[in-house]
Amino acid sequence: MKISKILAGMSAAALAASMMSLAAFADETATVKADLTGGTVSLIDEKDDDGVVTKTGVLTGTNVKLSDVCGIDVNVTVGADSAAKIEAGDWIGGGLGYNSESTGWASKEWSFQEGAKDVTGVKAADGSYDFVLKGTDPVFADTDTYAQVWLQNWSTKDFTFNAFTLLDKDGNPILVVESDKAQGGNTVDLSEYKKQTEVTLNGEGLATSDGGKVRINIKHPWADDAHKAAFNLADDWSALAGADAIAVTVDISNVTDEFNAYPCFSAGIEGGIGYWEASDNNPAVTVNADGTYTFIVKFPSALEMDAKNMFFDINTDLAGTDGEDPAVKMAVKSVVALNKSDEKPTDSTEPTDSTDSTDSDESKANPTDSVDSKTNSAATSSKAANNASNTNPSTGAAALAAVGVALAGAAVVATKKRK
């Protein structure tokens, strides 16, 4: 396995851990807290600025030694994107392993297909998945001056890491490392959509502020040259034509205060879909912690659109300062066209060329500032109503139809059951 592949997506920062002492009873497993969001846990840290080994990783305060560790069990919760791919039998995979002076980069590949890779993701009773490496020999040497355990996901971006459990030579848990922060995210049932076509994205977008509110643009046809690329995340939007709905998955981080977010969408044609406020068609999602969130836009009939003038964003009620980068970060991970039937849609659409973003009469009549346009302002301010094709017009903020949020909080691992 190439080191470059193993390292892909891994957090370079040392993970801070809040330590807890060993449980008072001998039959209890020690539990500590750490930041698990990067999929990596430092058992002991590297040398400090003075060259002294601090050994302040998750083993500090416990009687567990590096040479006690013979395996690892990583428990994760998957988001809507991964759940749909698992259900469809699509391949999702990554690496699971160790890193230290004595081990080097020691890894095994995993997948959800039984026997396809060294490790198979096994579904637990609560719907989460466990990835387990077990052995009878010590993984690390007590002389190691740094040591890590990690799991990386190379196919999707919607894993929530609940716990890393270190195992002894008999496969019994000797230390449980739980998340030190609330895990955000939500679940959206997409099972009614038999055909799911993912749009090929060329970027993750740029969180910005417009009208004093934070947003992230997915397709902004009237952006100026400086922001055109960051505000148009695909070269080809034709996959959306004829869709019954669209699902968007977004990673949101640096969340300190709860806020609502919802998709705004305009088909870009006269008399077409124009959703500017949250409704049953484009429900709001409550964002209350860092995590991966899925948003959905539903259409009353197969979508007719003009990809050149289509507008699409995730809007929020979170306050921001125009001209300044928002503290909250948002990254678009996937845009998926959803159809209830596998049959090819027959609806005709307008041209789907998305390379020219400024030639429409509307855009000429409504010049933009350096970041956003009239359409952006409309998405952050209240319109009188959604247009006639919105089946739940004039909802307003008081009737936001929030998608249920299933918090994937830190999982408490039963000490005698994880074997």
Side-chain angles (χ1 to χ4, degrees):
M1 180 64 61
K2 293 183 178 179
I3 289 178
S4 59
K5 189 173 184 181
I6 295 173
L7 289 173
M10 294 187 70
S11 172
L15 298 175
S18 171
M19 303 306 153
M20 295 176 65
S21 62
L22 277 172
F25 301 99
D27 61 349
E28 294 285 339
T29 300
T31 303
V32 299
K33 300 286 186 178
D35 180 0
L36 306 184
T37 54
T40 305
V41 173
S42 291
L43 305 188
I44 62 174
D45 289 337
E46 298 185 39
K47 297 176 181 179
D48 63 18
D49 293 339
D50 297 324
V52 177
V53 176
T54 58
K55 294 196 175 184
T56 56
V58 297
L59 298 188
T60 302
T62 77
N63 65 356
V64 177
K65 300 181 296 184
L66 284 175
S67 57
D68 292 336
V69 180
C70 297
I72 181 176
D73 178 347
V74 183
N75 180 261
V76 307
T77 300
V78 303
D81 181 49
S82 288
K85 289 181 177 179
I86 295 169
E87 180 69 22
D90 295 341
W91 186 86
I92 300 176
L96 171 66
Y98 314 102
N99 177 33
S100 74
E101 292 160 316
S102 64
T103 64
W105 288 102
S107 69
K108 299 290 185 181
E109 290 192 56
W110 61 261
S111 73
F112 288 103
Q113 287 76 29
E114 180 70 36
K117 296 295 180 181
D118 299 304
V119 176
T120 302
V122 177
K123 195 170 187 178
D126 63 358
S128 65
Y129 286 84
D130 284 286
F131 301 91
V132 181
L133 280 179
K134 291 194 296 185
T136 57
D137 297 324
V139 173
F140 304 104
D142 281 330
T143 55
D144 285 335
T145 61
Y146 66 90
Q148 296 174 322
V149 291
W150 53 269
L151 183 142
Q152 280 300 305
N153 176 7
W154 300 333
S155 306
T156 58
K157 302 294 184 181
D158 60 349
F159 276 28
T160 297
F161 294 92
N162 301 319
F164 282 65
T165 302
L166 305 183
L167 308 175
D168 67 11
K169 61 183 178 61
D170 297 317
N172 297 317
I174 54 176
L175 182 70
V176 178
V177 186
E178 297 177 351
S179 175
D180 68 350
K181 63 176 65 177
Q183 297 292 327
N186 68 326
T187 58
V188 179
D189 184 5
L190 303 180
S191 60
E192 67 177 308
Y193 300 102
K194 306 304 180 185
K195 182 180 179 181
Q196 302 185 12
T197 306
E198 188 166 349
V199 175
T200 300
L201 302 181
N202 54 29
E204 296 182 339
L206 176 67
T208 187
S209 296
D210 176 64
K213 300 295 182 182
V214 175
R215 58 187 290 124
I216 186 166
N217 293 291
I218 300 170
K219 171 67 167 69
H220 183 349
W222 306 293
D224 61 14
D225 290 340
H227 298 88
K228 189 176 295 183
F231 291 177
N232 183 21
L233 304 189
D235 297 320
D236 182 7
W237 293 102
S238 59
L240 302 185
D244 294 319
I246 304 171
V248 180
T249 300
V250 182
D251 280 354
I252 304 179
S253 58
N254 291 346
V255 177
T256 56
D257 299 312
E258 182 176 294
F259 61 90
N260 286 328
Y262 55 93
C264 291
F265 183 88
S266 171
I269 58 176
E270 184 176 355
I273 294 292
Y275 297 156
W276 303 111
E277 297 178 2
S279 73
D280 289 342
N281 302 298
N282 56 323
V285 174
T286 299
V287 178
N288 56 4
D290 292 6
T292 301
Y293 294 82
T294 296
F295 302 86
I296 191 166
V297 182
K298 299 180 181 181
F299 307 116
S301 59
L303 176 64
E304 296 185 51
M305 54 176 273
D306 172 3
K308 175 181 173 182
N309 292 307
M310 179 190 83
F311 176 85
F312 199 4
D313 84 338
I314 302 299
N315 197 44
T316 80
D317 60 8
L318 181 66
T321 302
D322 293 3
E324 296 183 6
D325 291 337
V328 168
K329 305 303 179 185
M330 304 171 71
V332 177
K333 295 302 180 179
S334 69
V335 177
V336 181
L338 306 172
N339 290 90
K340 295 181 178 180
S341 171
D342 287 330
E343 297 178 5
K344 184 177 180 180
T346 57
D347 300 77
S348 62
T349 65
E350 296 294 325
T352 59
D353 176 18
S354 63
T355 58
D356 185 354
S357 63
T358 59
D359 291 340
S360 70
D361 292 339
E362 183 176 356
S363 67
K364 293 177 181 178
N366 298 284
T368 69
D369 60 23
S370 62
V371 177
D372 287 308
S373 69
K374 173 189 80 78
T375 308
N376 281 11
S377 298
T380 52
S381 61
S382 174
K383 271 198 168 186
N386 293 341
N387 69 16
S389 60
N390 183 338
T391 57
N392 186 23
S394 303
T395 55
L400 296 182
V403 172
V405 175
L407 294 180
V412 178
V413 181
T415 61
K416 294 185 180 179
K417 295 180 181 179
R418 303 181 70 82
K419 298 189 177 185

